[in-house]
Amino acid sequence: MELEDHAEDLASDLGVDKEEVKADLQNLVEYSVPVNEAKQSLRRKYGDGGGGGGGTPSATDIGEITTDDGNVTVTGVVLTAGKRSIRYQGDDHVIVEGRLADETGVIDYTAWEDFGLSPGDTITAGNAGVREWDGEPELNLGESTSLSFVDESIDAAGEIGGDAQLADLQTGDRAVNVEVAVVECERRTIDGRDGETDILSGVFGDESGRLPFTNWDPAPAIEEGGPVRIENAYVQEFRGVPEINVSEFSTVSAIDSEIEVGADATTMAIGEAVRTGGIYDVELVGNVLAVRDGSGLIQRCPECYRVIQKGQCRTHGDVDGIDDLRVKAILDDGTGTVTVVLDDELTEQVYDGTLEDALEQAREAMDQEVVADTIRERIVGREYRVRGHLSVDEYGANLDAERFEESDDDPAARATAFLEEVDA
């Protein structure tokens, strides 16, 4: 049934204007609310409890909520609560989001109304909507939700507050608090949704690791580069890895304590790393099986810096390319494969020459492919220890390398250790 038909049926049953019902239904559906749930919500809004299982749903344990549920009533402790501005249906809307818990489990929530939620509050949310987000159920608290604060002690399955280390953060986390060192920071002007705007971007670090960040409302404490405490940040995916977002609703304050940034990256098997879906700072060890096409001496578009083919940029058409060096190497450790991308500096190291040397070699051979062939001869079949940022998408797994060094592991010792592990 089309949305128009659903709206017509609802308007007829409820005795209200069809266009008004259609607009409300469209809003809910565009926010991924299932049609049947949206219709139930509108029946409640317009005063008809029938036709959709009306009335307040019975109480449900948080651990029992599934994506198949339509509406539930839950009692739980607010673990985190953070404001964020989103653009919805062309308008800016301030929402509150975080996590709610009882003895049986923890669930994310989004509050579309200002209920005055704070970490530590115990609440009962009646007629809360359930939607699927990233494969998991999430509560929607809106105008049809009856919310009350209760004096009840609950042994919640989670910690109140939202303090976390960088290594613990995952894409989708909201209302998190971190204490970090500003490892890298630059101010940039971007073309934002409201025109040109200044932002800060760079890398945060703590003893557990490093993560990239974007500060949408530049905070002096971050730009000055000292250790900072950030409250009410959220984590989104950017180029396949988690990124901390610091918004206008975040609180940023300088702190006196020193933050030591962990120097070591997590070492993982390639297969295990790929299954995570993306890691900002990871170390992999494997053999280079091949050097892919598009390696060696390449040309980039002067406008967007993408690699061009035969003087053609996919975005800007005919361009005069800028010469550059790059390597795309296939790394394999027996558990999986990944494409390791080396920038110009790392490529110069494995090529053992500069860009000018590469251009000279290509001129003498009248073939720029000789540069890639030289690199193949030097690295294929050897084992390397690689550190960088892993992203995984529909095109495969790619690691942007920061370090690319031939492994000095003793194969015999490693084989012995492996056999001892198998015997154990």
Side-chain angles (χ1 to χ4, degrees):
M1 183 182 290
E2 299 293 334
L3 194 68
E4 181 89 14
D5 298 326
H6 285 296
E8 187 170 348
D9 287 348
L10 270 177
S12 176
D13 289 347
L14 300 172
V16 295
D17 181 70
K18 172 187 170 182
E19 293 303 317
E20 183 178 355
V21 171
K22 181 181 177 182
D24 287 343
L25 192 59
Q26 183 76 37
N27 285 344
L28 291 169
V29 170
E30 287 188 1
Y31 190 65
S32 301
V33 177
V35 171
N36 289 337
E37 180 186 330
K39 290 170 69 176
Q40 291 179 27
S41 178
L42 293 182
R43 287 184 184 278
R44 291 188 295 272
K45 174 180 177 180
Y46 290 104
D48 178 12
T56 302
S58 59
T60 305
D61 289 337
I62 288 176
E64 300 299 318
I65 297 174
T66 72
T67 55
D68 294 328
D69 291 319
N71 295 78
V72 296
T73 292
V74 296
T75 297
V77 177
V78 178
L79 301 183
T80 57
K83 289 184 177 180
R84 182 156 65 98
S85 176
I86 65 171
R87 181 150 291 181
Y88 175 58
Q89 294 291 306
D91 297 321
D92 290 334
H93 195 93
V94 177
I95 60 175
V96 175
E97 53 188 4
R99 310 197 86 194
L100 186 72
D102 64 8
E103 299 95 333
T104 67
V106 181
I107 192 170
D108 291 331
Y109 72 84
T110 297
W112 295 86
E113 305 290 328
D114 188 358
F115 294 106
L117 301 177
S118 297
D121 291 338
T122 300
I123 64 169
T124 294
N127 202 35
V130 180
R131 70 162 184 156
E132 181 177 338
W133 182 254
D134 199 22
E136 298 294 330
E138 178 186 281
L139 292 180
N140 268 317
L141 312 180
E143 61 181 14
S144 63
T145 302
S146 60
L147 191 142
S148 59
F149 295 85
V150 297
D151 294 325
E152 183 177 343
S153 178
I154 293 181
D155 186 14
E159 294 186 7
I160 297 172
D163 286 5
Q165 289 194 312
L166 297 182
D168 299 326
L169 298 181
Q170 297 179 345
T171 298
D173 286 347
R174 317 103 178 263
V176 298
N177 310 322
V178 294
E179 293 188 356
V180 295
V182 182
V183 178
E184 300 173 16
C185 181
E186 66 170 337
R187 179 181 284 259
R188 297 188 294 123
T189 301
I190 65 168
D191 187 13
R193 66 188 187 188
D194 295 316
E196 287 192 350
T197 183
D198 281 356
I199 65 169
L200 301 179
S201 62
V203 178
F204 288 147
D206 66 11
E207 63 180 11
S208 72
R210 300 180 298 159
L211 278 182
F213 75 86
T214 296
N215 179 197
W216 298 98
D217 185 21
I222 292 178
E223 194 163 19
E224 288 168 6
V228 293
R229 176 174 174 83
I230 300 168
E231 298 180 353
N232 187 28
Y234 60 97
V235 184
Q236 287 189 329
E237 181 180 297
F238 180 69
R239 294 181 179 174
V241 299
E243 178 192 69
I244 299 175
N245 283 251
V246 184
S247 74
E248 69 270 30
F249 295 105
S250 303
T251 300
V252 181
S253 54
I255 56 177
D256 293 331
S257 58
E258 290 295 323
I259 304 292
E260 290 192 9
V261 179
D264 296 329
T266 301
T267 301
M268 302 177 72
I270 293 176
E272 179 187 4
V274 171
R275 285 190 293 273
T276 67
I279 307 177
Y280 181 70
D281 192 10
V282 66
E283 184 177 77
L284 308 176
V285 180
N287 291 292
V288 173
L289 300 185
V291 171
R292 294 179 54 183
D293 292 341
S295 297
L297 185 59
I298 61 171
Q299 283 74 43
R300 296 186 182 275
C301 173
E303 297 292 332
C304 63
Y305 213 57
R306 292 189 179 95
V307 175
I308 63 175
Q309 300 290 338
K310 298 180 179 179
Q312 288 285 321
C313 172
R314 288 180 297 175
T315 303
H316 299 98
D318 287 327
V319 294
D320 292 327
I322 300 172
D323 291 314
D324 196 15
L325 290 172
R326 179 184 71 175
V327 172
K328 298 173 70 176
I330 305 298
L331 193 75
D332 184 288
D333 69 349
T335 70
T337 61
V338 65
T339 298
V340 176
V341 182
L342 309 186
D343 64 11
D344 56 343
E345 292 184 4
L346 289 176
T347 300
E348 286 186 350
Q349 292 178 23
V350 299
Y351 174 60
D352 194 22
T354 64
L355 175 61
E356 289 70 25
D357 295 330
L359 289 168
E360 179 62 27
Q361 183 185 17
R363 280 193 293 266
E364 290 180 356
M366 293 185 292
D367 181 7
Q368 74 175 40
E369 286 300 316
V370 298
V371 178
D373 291 339
T374 299
I375 293 171
R376 286 188 182 95
E377 292 174 1
R378 291 179 175 165
I379 68 173
V380 170
R382 297 178 181 272
E383 184 179 75
Y384 285 87
R385 185 175 296 274
V386 190
R387 180 172 178 173
H389 315 312
L390 176 70
S391 62
V392 183
D393 56 25
E394 64 270 26
Y395 300 108
N398 293 276
L399 186 132
D400 291 324
E402 287 190 337
R403 191 176 69 199
F404 185 79
E405 298 173 347
E406 193 164 359
S407 173
D408 57 2
D409 292 349
D410 182 354
R414 192 166 55 201
T416 299
F418 174 75
L419 291 173
E420 290 175 351
E421 182 178 343
V422 170
D423 290 339

mmCIF file with all atom_site columns, all heavy atoms in Angstrom, residues 129-149:
data_model
loop_
_atom_site.group_PDB
_atom_site.id
_atom_site.type_symbol
_atom_site.label_atom_id
_atom_site.label_alt_id
_atom_site.label_comp_id
_atom_site.label_asym_id
_atom_site.label_entity_id
_atom_site.label_seq_id
_atom_site.pdbx_PDB_ins_code
_atom_site.Cartn_x
_atom_site.Cartn_y
_atom_site.Cartn_z
_atom_site.occupancy
_atom_site.B_iso_or_equiv
_atom_site.pdbx_formal_charge
_atom_site.auth_seq_id
_atom_site.auth_comp_id
_atom_site.auth_asym_id
_atom_site.auth_atom_id
_atom_site.pdbx_PDB_model_num
ATOM 1   N N   . GLY A 1 129 ? 8.640  4.526  21.494 1.00 0.00 ? 129 GLY A N   1
ATOM 2   C CA  . GLY A 1 129 ? 8.775  3.818  20.227 1.00 0.00 ? 129 GLY A CA  1
ATOM 3   C C   . GLY A 1 129 ? 10.087 3.067  20.143 1.00 0.00 ? 129 GLY A C   1
ATOM 4   O O   . GLY A 1 129 ? 11.075 3.435  20.777 1.00 0.00 ? 129 GLY A O   1
ATOM 5   N N   . VAL A 1 130 ? 10.096 2.003  19.385 1.00 0.00 ? 130 VAL A N   1
ATOM 6   C CA  . VAL A 1 130 ? 11.315 1.217  19.155 1.00 0.00 ? 130 VAL A CA  1
ATOM 7   C C   . VAL A 1 130 ? 11.603 1.211  17.664 1.00 0.00 ? 130 VAL A C   1
ATOM 8   O O   . VAL A 1 130 ? 10.727 0.913  16.849 1.00 0.00 ? 130 VAL A O   1
ATOM 9   C CB  . VAL A 1 130 ? 11.167 -0.234 19.651 1.00 0.00 ? 130 VAL A CB  1
ATOM 10  C CG1 . VAL A 1 130 ? 12.454 -1.020 19.391 1.00 0.00 ? 130 VAL A CG1 1
ATOM 11  C CG2 . VAL A 1 130 ? 10.827 -0.262 21.130 1.00 0.00 ? 130 VAL A CG2 1
ATOM 12  N N   . ARG A 1 131 ? 12.808 1.568  17.299 1.00 0.00 ? 131 ARG A N   1
ATOM 13  C CA  . ARG A 1 131 ? 13.213 1.475  15.901 1.00 0.00 ? 131 ARG A CA  1
ATOM 14  C C   . ARG A 1 131 ? 14.544 0.738  15.824 1.00 0.00 ? 131 ARG A C   1
ATOM 15  O O   . ARG A 1 131 ? 15.246 0.574  16.833 1.00 0.00 ? 131 ARG A O   1
ATOM 16  C CB  . ARG A 1 131 ? 13.344 2.858  15.273 1.00 0.00 ? 131 ARG A CB  1
ATOM 17  C CG  . ARG A 1 131 ? 14.519 3.667  15.784 1.00 0.00 ? 131 ARG A CG  1
ATOM 18  C CD  . ARG A 1 131 ? 14.833 4.805  14.834 1.00 0.00 ? 131 ARG A CD  1
ATOM 19  N NE  . ARG A 1 131 ? 16.017 5.542  15.263 1.00 0.00 ? 131 ARG A NE  1
ATOM 20  C CZ  . ARG A 1 131 ? 16.775 6.258  14.453 1.00 0.00 ? 131 ARG A CZ  1
ATOM 21  N NH1 . ARG A 1 131 ? 16.482 6.318  13.168 1.00 0.00 ? 131 ARG A NH1 1
ATOM 22  N NH2 . ARG A 1 131 ? 17.830 6.905  14.899 1.00 0.00 ? 131 ARG A NH2 1
ATOM 23  N N   . GLU A 1 132 ? 14.887 0.311  14.651 1.00 0.00 ? 132 GLU A N   1
ATOM 24  C CA  . GLU A 1 132 ? 16.163 -0.370 14.427 1.00 0.00 ? 132 GLU A CA  1
ATOM 25  C C   . GLU A 1 132 ? 17.202 0.639  13.994 1.00 0.00 ? 132 GLU A C   1
ATOM 26  O O   . GLU A 1 132 ? 16.969 1.447  13.098 1.00 0.00 ? 132 GLU A O   1
ATOM 27  C CB  . GLU A 1 132 ? 16.006 -1.454 13.355 1.00 0.00 ? 132 GLU A CB  1
ATOM 28  C CG  . GLU A 1 132 ? 17.297 -2.225 13.091 1.00 0.00 ? 132 GLU A CG  1
ATOM 29  C CD  . GLU A 1 132 ? 17.107 -3.330 12.081 1.00 0.00 ? 132 GLU A CD  1
ATOM 30  O OE1 . GLU A 1 132 ? 15.957 -3.773 11.890 1.00 0.00 ? 132 GLU A OE1 1
ATOM 31  O OE2 . GLU A 1 132 ? 18.115 -3.758 11.472 1.00 0.00 ? 132 GLU A OE2 1
ATOM 32  N N   . TRP A 1 133 ? 18.351 0.602  14.646 1.00 0.00 ? 133 TRP A N   1
ATOM 33  C CA  . TRP A 1 133 ? 19.453 1.482  14.271 1.00 0.00 ? 133 TRP A CA  1
ATOM 34  C C   . TRP A 1 133 ? 20.734 0.666  14.287 1.00 0.00 ? 133 TRP A C   1
ATOM 35  O O   . TRP A 1 133 ? 21.138 0.142  15.301 1.00 0.00 ? 133 TRP A O   1
ATOM 36  C CB  . TRP A 1 133 ? 19.561 2.671  15.234 1.00 0.00 ? 133 TRP A CB  1
ATOM 37  C CG  . TRP A 1 133 ? 20.645 3.623  14.866 1.00 0.00 ? 133 TRP A CG  1
ATOM 38  C CD1 . TRP A 1 133 ? 21.850 3.784  15.483 1.00 0.00 ? 133 TRP A CD1 1
ATOM 39  C CD2 . TRP A 1 133 ? 20.646 4.563  13.784 1.00 0.00 ? 133 TRP A CD2 1
ATOM 40  N NE1 . TRP A 1 133 ? 22.598 4.751  14.864 1.00 0.00 ? 133 TRP A NE1 1
ATOM 41  C CE2 . TRP A 1 133 ? 21.888 5.249  13.813 1.00 0.00 ? 133 TRP A CE2 1
ATOM 42  C CE3 . TRP A 1 133 ? 19.720 4.873  12.796 1.00 0.00 ? 133 TRP A CE3 1
ATOM 43  C CZ2 . TRP A 1 133 ? 22.221 6.233  12.887 1.00 0.00 ? 133 TRP A CZ2 1
ATOM 44  C CZ3 . TRP A 1 133 ? 20.058 5.862  11.870 1.00 0.00 ? 133 TRP A CZ3 1
ATOM 45  C CH2 . TRP A 1 133 ? 21.282 6.527  11.932 1.00 0.00 ? 133 TRP A CH2 1
ATOM 46  N N   . ASP A 1 134 ? 21.335 0.527  13.105 1.00 0.00 ? 134 ASP A N   1
ATOM 47  C CA  . ASP A 1 134 ? 22.569 -0.241 12.955 1.00 0.00 ? 134 ASP A CA  1
ATOM 48  C C   . ASP A 1 134 ? 22.373 -1.671 13.460 1.00 0.00 ? 134 ASP A C   1
ATOM 49  O O   . ASP A 1 134 ? 23.264 -2.251 14.088 1.00 0.00 ? 134 ASP A O   1
ATOM 50  C CB  . ASP A 1 134 ? 23.719 0.442  13.682 1.00 0.00 ? 134 ASP A CB  1
ATOM 51  C CG  . ASP A 1 134 ? 25.087 -0.033 13.190 1.00 0.00 ? 134 ASP A CG  1
ATOM 52  O OD1 . ASP A 1 134 ? 25.155 -0.545 12.056 1.00 0.00 ? 134 ASP A OD1 1
ATOM 53  O OD2 . ASP A 1 134 ? 26.076 0.099  13.941 1.00 0.00 ? 134 ASP A OD2 1
ATOM 54  N N   . GLY A 1 135 ? 21.185 -2.216 13.189 1.00 0.00 ? 135 GLY A N   1
ATOM 55  C CA  . GLY A 1 135 ? 20.913 -3.598 13.535 1.00 0.00 ? 135 GLY A CA  1
ATOM 56  C C   . GLY A 1 135 ? 20.457 -3.826 14.962 1.00 0.00 ? 135 GLY A C   1
ATOM 57  O O   . GLY A 1 135 ? 20.143 -4.956 15.339 1.00 0.00 ? 135 GLY A O   1
ATOM 58  N N   . GLU A 1 136 ? 20.421 -2.783 15.792 1.00 0.00 ? 136 GLU A N   1
ATOM 59  C CA  . GLU A 1 136 ? 20.049 -2.914 17.191 1.00 0.00 ? 136 GLU A CA  1
ATOM 60  C C   . GLU A 1 136 ? 18.812 -2.066 17.485 1.00 0.00 ? 136 GLU A C   1
ATOM 61  O O   . GLU A 1 136 ? 18.560 -1.063 16.812 1.00 0.00 ? 136 GLU A O   1
ATOM 62  C CB  . GLU A 1 136 ? 21.200 -2.455 18.100 1.00 0.00 ? 136 GLU A CB  1
ATOM 63  C CG  . GLU A 1 136 ? 22.478 -3.265 17.954 1.00 0.00 ? 136 GLU A CG  1
ATOM 64  C CD  . GLU A 1 136 ? 22.310 -4.698 18.411 1.00 0.00 ? 136 GLU A CD  1
ATOM 65  O OE1 . GLU A 1 136 ? 21.478 -4.930 19.313 1.00 0.00 ? 136 GLU A OE1 1
ATOM 66  O OE2 . GLU A 1 136 ? 23.013 -5.588 17.883 1.00 0.00 ? 136 GLU A OE2 1
ATOM 67  N N   . PRO A 1 137 ? 18.026 -2.451 18.518 1.00 0.00 ? 137 PRO A N   1
ATOM 68  C CA  . PRO A 1 137 ? 16.878 -1.624 18.877 1.00 0.00 ? 137 PRO A CA  1
ATOM 69  C C   . PRO A 1 137 ? 17.306 -0.326 19.555 1.00 0.00 ? 137 PRO A C   1
ATOM 70  O O   . PRO A 1 137 ? 18.312 -0.284 20.267 1.00 0.00 ? 137 PRO A O   1
ATOM 71  C CB  . PRO A 1 137 ? 16.097 -2.521 19.846 1.00 0.00 ? 137 PRO A CB  1
ATOM 72  C CG  . PRO A 1 137 ? 17.120 -3.434 20.434 1.00 0.00 ? 137 PRO A CG  1
ATOM 73  C CD  . PRO A 1 137 ? 18.128 -3.663 19.346 1.00 0.00 ? 137 PRO A CD  1
ATOM 74  N N   . GLU A 1 138 ? 16.550 0.717  19.307 1.00 0.00 ? 138 GLU A N   1
ATOM 75  C CA  . GLU A 1 138 ? 16.784 2.018  19.930 1.00 0.00 ? 138 GLU A CA  1
ATOM 76  C C   . GLU A 1 138 ? 15.441 2.610  20.326 1.00 0.00 ? 138 GLU A C   1
ATOM 77  O O   . GLU A 1 138 ? 14.449 2.487  19.596 1.00 0.00 ? 138 GLU A O   1
ATOM 78  C CB  . GLU A 1 138 ? 17.511 2.963  18.972 1.00 0.00 ? 138 GLU A CB  1
ATOM 79  C CG  . GLU A 1 138 ? 17.737 4.355  19.544 1.00 0.00 ? 138 GLU A CG  1
ATOM 80  C CD  . GLU A 1 138 ? 18.319 5.314  18.522 1.00 0.00 ? 138 GLU A CD  1
ATOM 81  O OE1 . GLU A 1 138 ? 19.534 5.243  18.288 1.00 0.00 ? 138 GLU A OE1 1
ATOM 82  O OE2 . GLU A 1 138 ? 17.555 6.118  17.956 1.00 0.00 ? 138 GLU A OE2 1
ATOM 83  N N   . LEU A 1 139 ? 15.392 3.269  21.490 1.00 0.00 ? 139 LEU A N   1
ATOM 84  C CA  . LEU A 1 139 ? 14.164 3.897  21.949 1.00 0.00 ? 139 LEU A CA  1
ATOM 85  C C   . LEU A 1 139 ? 14.015 5.288  21.352 1.00 0.00 ? 139 LEU A C   1
ATOM 86  O O   . LEU A 1 139 ? 14.983 6.055  21.301 1.00 0.00 ? 139 LEU A O   1
ATOM 87  C CB  . LEU A 1 139 ? 14.151 4.009  23.473 1.00 0.00 ? 139 LEU A CB  1
ATOM 88  C CG  . LEU A 1 139 ? 14.052 2.715  24.286 1.00 0.00 ? 139 LEU A CG  1
ATOM 89  C CD1 . LEU A 1 139 ? 14.058 3.038  25.770 1.00 0.00 ? 139 LEU A CD1 1
ATOM 90  C CD2 . LEU A 1 139 ? 12.804 1.929  23.909 1.00 0.00 ? 139 LEU A CD2 1
ATOM 91  N N   . ASN A 1 140 ? 12.801 5.604  20.930 1.00 0.00 ? 140 ASN A N   1
ATOM 92  C CA  . ASN A 1 140 ? 12.442 6.952  20.504 1.00 0.00 ? 140 ASN A CA  1
ATOM 93  C C   . ASN A 1 140 ? 11.475 7.532  21.516 1.00 0.00 ? 140 ASN A C   1
ATOM 94  O O   . ASN A 1 140 ? 10.378 6.983  21.725 1.00 0.00 ? 140 ASN A O   1
ATOM 95  C CB  . ASN A 1 140 ? 11.784 6.918  19.114 1.00 0.00 ? 140 ASN A CB  1
ATOM 96  C CG  . ASN A 1 140 ? 12.794 7.089  18.008 1.00 0.00 ? 140 ASN A CG  1
ATOM 97  O OD1 . ASN A 1 140 ? 13.681 7.917  18.100 1.00 0.00 ? 140 ASN A OD1 1
ATOM 98  N ND2 . ASN A 1 140 ? 12.668 6.288  16.967 1.00 0.00 ? 140 ASN A ND2 1
ATOM 99  N N   . LEU A 1 141 ? 11.858 8.613  22.161 1.00 0.00 ? 141 LEU A N   1
ATOM 100 C CA  . LEU A 1 141 ? 11.007 9.283  23.142 1.00 0.00 ? 141 LEU A CA  1
ATOM 101 C C   . LEU A 1 141 ? 10.489 10.562 22.505 1.00 0.00 ? 141 LEU A C   1
ATOM 102 O O   . LEU A 1 141 ? 11.265 11.484 22.228 1.00 0.00 ? 141 LEU A O   1
ATOM 103 C CB  . LEU A 1 141 ? 11.795 9.601  24.415 1.00 0.00 ? 141 LEU A CB  1
ATOM 104 C CG  . LEU A 1 141 ? 12.633 8.448  24.997 1.00 0.00 ? 141 LEU A CG  1
ATOM 105 C CD1 . LEU A 1 141 ? 13.374 8.901  26.250 1.00 0.00 ? 141 LEU A CD1 1
ATOM 106 C CD2 . LEU A 1 141 ? 11.779 7.232  25.290 1.00 0.00 ? 141 LEU A CD2 1
ATOM 107 N N   . GLY A 1 142 ? 9.182  10.611 22.245 1.00 0.00 ? 142 GLY A N   1
ATOM 108 C CA  . GLY A 1 142 ? 8.607  11.748 21.539 1.00 0.00 ? 142 GLY A CA  1
ATOM 109 C C   . GLY A 1 142 ? 7.358  12.266 22.199 1.00 0.00 ? 142 GLY A C   1
ATOM 110 O O   . GLY A 1 142 ? 7.095  12.020 23.384 1.00 0.00 ? 142 GLY A O   1
ATOM 111 N N   . GLU A 1 143 ? 6.542  12.975 21.409 1.00 0.00 ? 143 GLU A N   1
ATOM 112 C CA  . GLU A 1 143 ? 5.367  13.626 21.970 1.00 0.00 ? 143 GLU A CA  1
ATOM 113 C C   . GLU A 1 143 ? 4.316  12.636 22.444 1.00 0.00 ? 143 GLU A C   1
ATOM 114 O O   . GLU A 1 143 ? 3.490  12.959 23.303 1.00 0.00 ? 143 GLU A O   1
ATOM 115 C CB  . GLU A 1 143 ? 4.757  14.578 20.944 1.00 0.00 ? 143 GLU A CB  1
ATOM 116 C CG  . GLU A 1 143 ? 4.292  13.904 19.659 1.00 0.00 ? 143 GLU A CG  1
ATOM 117 C CD  . GLU A 1 143 ? 3.724  14.908 18.676 1.00 0.00 ? 143 GLU A CD  1
ATOM 118 O OE1 . GLU A 1 143 ? 3.931  16.119 18.862 1.00 0.00 ? 143 GLU A OE1 1
ATOM 119 O OE2 . GLU A 1 143 ? 3.061  14.461 17.734 1.00 0.00 ? 143 GLU A OE2 1
ATOM 120 N N   . SER A 1 144 ? 4.349  11.406 21.921 1.00 0.00 ? 144 SER A N   1
ATOM 121 C CA  . SER A 1 144 ? 3.376  10.397 22.368 1.00 0.00 ? 144 SER A CA  1
ATOM 122 C C   . SER A 1 144 ? 3.885  9.605  23.566 1.00 0.00 ? 144 SER A C   1
ATOM 123 O O   . SER A 1 144 ? 3.197  8.722  24.070 1.00 0.00 ? 144 SER A O   1
ATOM 124 C CB  . SER A 1 144 ? 3.048  9.447  21.216 1.00 0.00 ? 144 SER A CB  1
ATOM 125 O OG  . SER A 1 144 ? 4.200  8.729  20.808 1.00 0.00 ? 144 SER A OG  1
ATOM 126 N N   . THR A 1 145 ? 5.117  9.923  24.037 1.00 0.00 ? 145 THR A N   1
ATOM 127 C CA  . THR A 1 145 ? 5.697  9.221  25.178 1.00 0.00 ? 145 THR A CA  1
ATOM 128 C C   . THR A 1 145 ? 5.320  9.932  26.475 1.00 0.00 ? 145 THR A C   1
ATOM 129 O O   . THR A 1 145 ? 5.457  11.152 26.580 1.00 0.00 ? 145 THR A O   1
ATOM 130 C CB  . THR A 1 145 ? 7.230  9.166  25.066 1.00 0.00 ? 145 THR A CB  1
ATOM 131 O OG1 . THR A 1 145 ? 7.600  8.525  23.835 1.00 0.00 ? 145 THR A OG1 1
ATOM 132 C CG2 . THR A 1 145 ? 7.836  8.398  26.233 1.00 0.00 ? 145 THR A CG2 1
ATOM 133 N N   . SER A 1 146 ? 4.831  9.163  27.445 1.00 0.00 ? 146 SER A N   1
ATOM 134 C CA  . SER A 1 146 ? 4.592  9.720  28.780 1.00 0.00 ? 146 SER A CA  1
ATOM 135 C C   . SER A 1 146 ? 5.802  9.389  29.638 1.00 0.00 ? 146 SER A C   1
ATOM 136 O O   . SER A 1 146 ? 6.126  8.219  29.842 1.00 0.00 ? 146 SER A O   1
ATOM 137 C CB  . SER A 1 146 ? 3.323  9.119  29.394 1.00 0.00 ? 146 SER A CB  1
ATOM 138 O OG  . SER A 1 146 ? 3.437  7.715  29.517 1.00 0.00 ? 146 SER A OG  1
ATOM 139 N N   . LEU A 1 147 ? 6.491  10.409 30.127 1.00 0.00 ? 147 LEU A N   1
ATOM 140 C CA  . LEU A 1 147 ? 7.734  10.191 30.861 1.00 0.00 ? 147 LEU A CA  1
ATOM 141 C C   . LEU A 1 147 ? 7.608  10.757 32.274 1.00 0.00 ? 147 LEU A C   1
ATOM 142 O O   . LEU A 1 147 ? 7.167  11.894 32.452 1.00 0.00 ? 147 LEU A O   1
ATOM 143 C CB  . LEU A 1 147 ? 8.916  10.826 30.132 1.00 0.00 ? 147 LEU A CB  1
ATOM 144 C CG  . LEU A 1 147 ? 10.303 10.451 30.664 1.00 0.00 ? 147 LEU A CG  1
ATOM 145 C CD1 . LEU A 1 147 ? 11.293 10.287 29.523 1.00 0.00 ? 147 LEU A CD1 1
ATOM 146 C CD2 . LEU A 1 147 ? 10.810 11.529 31.627 1.00 0.00 ? 147 LEU A CD2 1
ATOM 147 N N   . SER A 1 148 ? 8.000  9.960  33.248 1.00 0.00 ? 148 SER A N   1
ATOM 148 C CA  . SER A 1 148 ? 7.959  10.403 34.641 1.00 0.00 ? 148 SER A CA  1
ATOM 149 C C   . SER A 1 148 ? 9.246  10.014 35.342 1.00 0.00 ? 148 SER A C   1
ATOM 150 O O   . SER A 1 148 ? 9.884  9.009  35.005 1.00 0.00 ? 148 SER A O   1
ATOM 151 C CB  . SER A 1 148 ? 6.753  9.791  35.361 1.00 0.00 ? 148 SER A CB  1
ATOM 152 O OG  . SER A 1 148 ? 6.818  8.377  35.324 1.00 0.00 ? 148 SER A OG  1
ATOM 153 N N   . PHE A 1 149 ? 9.635  10.820 36.318 1.00 0.00 ? 149 PHE A N   1
ATOM 154 C CA  . PHE A 1 149 ? 10.809 10.542 37.132 1.00 0.00 ? 149 PHE A CA  1
ATOM 155 C C   . PHE A 1 149 ? 10.346 9.794  38.380 1.00 0.00 ? 149 PHE A C   1
ATOM 156 O O   . PHE A 1 149 ? 9.366  10.188 39.021 1.00 0.00 ? 149 PHE A O   1
ATOM 157 C CB  . PHE A 1 149 ? 11.522 11.841 37.512 1.00 0.00 ? 149 PHE A CB  1
ATOM 158 C CG  . PHE A 1 149 ? 12.102 12.558 36.325 1.00 0.00 ? 149 PHE A CG  1
ATOM 159 C CD1 . PHE A 1 149 ? 11.307 13.413 35.567 1.00 0.00 ? 149 PHE A CD1 1
ATOM 160 C CD2 . PHE A 1 149 ? 13.416 12.378 35.957 1.00 0.00 ? 149 PHE A CD2 1
ATOM 161 C CE1 . PHE A 1 149 ? 11.833 14.074 34.458 1.00 0.00 ? 149 PHE A CE1 1
ATOM 162 C CE2 . PHE A 1 149 ? 13.955 13.031 34.856 1.00 0.00 ? 149 PHE A CE2 1
ATOM 163 C CZ  . PHE A 1 149 ? 13.151 13.877 34.104 1.00 0.00 ? 149 PHE A CZ  1
#
